[in-house]
Amino acid sequence: PRCPVAPMTSAARARVRRLAASAALVGAMLAAASSSFAATVVDDSGRSVVVERPPQRVVTLAPSLTELVFAAGAGATLVGVSALSDHPVEARAIARIGDAGRIDVERVLALHPDLVLVWQRGNVAREIAQLEHAGVRLFELSPQRLDDVARAIERLGALLGHDEEARRRAADLRVELARLRAAHANAPKVRVFYQVWQQPLMTVNRRQIIDDILGVCAGRNVFADLAPLVPTVSIEAVVAAAPEAILTARSNLRLAAH
């Protein structure tokens, strides 16, 4: 025999109708939020990149780009990073896809990214072209001055669905840069040689962001006026430039140790 089903009271029917109406409203709000997210952001190549929803599988082709994604609050979206991505510590557990010298295109494609961040000056143009030909959505970020970094964080926030957090962190960065500039505004300038690479001996000119970093802290790049972005110099040229301080990248310290 079937169990008798008690007829629904008018009060119960009213509660069901209210629940159904609430569920429909929530669904409509979620759908509206998804459809209203669509963002168009211009990258550093001048290309307008359109996303209908926040990318969830992001690959970065330079350590600086990895740091920018984390700074924008979207580190959880990263599925692939370049070999030297070690900051923040969470980046060390993410799959490696190559380095500035060679990007493993097949490995990148196997990760099924819905966005790949590229650094035009550091990445191999042929491999970037292969990714683009494969239909991968690319977004170029190549900050040249410190003020560009805050703007890059904001653009990534808009692109990856972390707009509010990214804006807050960009504002914090601007405040800190203003504090540093004010603190060193009247400090005596220190002549600095910055060693990018040991063999051959390489440095940077004034158009590289490292030059801007030195300037904020009252440093003066002794090779700022050279034409190449990353010029090769001789030991004799360094001695003749008479730097008061010599700075080197951490990787060069490891090379020197060997």
Side-chain angles (χ1 to χ4, degrees):
R2 294 184 178 180
C3 296
V5 178
M8 187 178 293
T9 66
S10 59
R13 285 195 296 271
R15 286 197 297 272
V16 170
R17 285 195 295 270
R18 286 197 296 271
L19 287 171
S22 297
L25 178 60
V26 170
M29 291 174 64
L30 289 174
S34 176
S35 62
S36 65
F37 171 80
T40 301
V41 185
V42 179
D43 73 1
D44 284 340
S45 71
R47 171 176 43 203
S48 293
V49 177
V50 180
V51 290
E52 299 298 329
R53 59 185 60 83
Q56 297 300 308
R57 300 185 62 80
V58 180
V59 170
T60 57
L61 303 189
S64 59
L65 299 176
T66 303
E67 293 185 33
L68 287 172
V69 172
F70 274 99
T77 66
L78 289 169
V79 295
V81 297
S82 61
L84 297 180
S85 295
D86 60 1
H87 182 80
V89 292
E90 293 86 348
R92 300 174 186 175
I94 303 172
R96 307 284 139 160
I97 48 76
D99 54 32
R102 179 183 177 276
I103 300 299
D104 189 335
V105 173
E106 290 186 3
R107 185 165 178 78
V108 173
L109 295 177
L111 292 170
H112 305 290
D114 46 14
L115 182 71
V116 172
L117 301 179
V118 304
W119 174 42
Q120 191 64 47
R121 286 176 172 169
N123 297 136
V124 180
R126 182 189 55 153
E127 292 161 353
I128 292 176
Q130 289 174 344
L131 290 172
E132 192 165 25
H133 182 72
V136 175
R137 180 192 289 131
L138 305 180
F139 190 85
E140 180 185 334
L141 280 176
S142 302
Q144 297 181 41
R145 313 307 289 170
L146 284 172
D147 290 335
D148 297 337
V149 175
R151 179 61 187 140
I153 292 171
E154 289 173 334
R155 282 185 287 167
L156 282 176
L159 196 65
L160 300 176
H162 290 261
D163 190 56
E164 184 176 344
E165 184 175 1
R167 286 180 181 276
R168 184 174 67 251
R169 294 187 177 186
D172 290 343
L173 176 59
R174 290 187 176 105
V175 168
E176 183 62 17
L177 285 175
R179 185 191 69 77
L180 283 172
R181 285 171 175 141
H184 297 285
N186 299 314
K189 299 298 182 183
V190 178
R191 295 174 58 80
V192 178
F193 168 59
Y194 188 91
Q195 179 181 303
V196 175
W197 200 249
Q198 186 176 14
Q199 293 179 341
L201 192 59
M202 302 178 78
T203 186
V204 296
N205 73 2
R206 70 172 68 257
R207 292 182 292 111
Q208 223 279 349
I209 195 170
I210 293 171
D211 178 89
D212 201 23
I213 295 171
L214 296 176
V216 166
C217 299
R220 177 177 294 158
N221 177 8
V222 295
F223 291 112
D225 294 332
L226 293 184
L229 185 70
V230 184
T232 298
V233 295
S234 66
I235 293 177
E236 292 78 12
V238 174
V239 172
E244 299 168 273
I246 295 177
L247 304 179
T248 184
R250 184 173 55 184
S251 59
N252 289 320
L253 292 177
R254 290 198 294 268
L255 282 172
H258 290 293

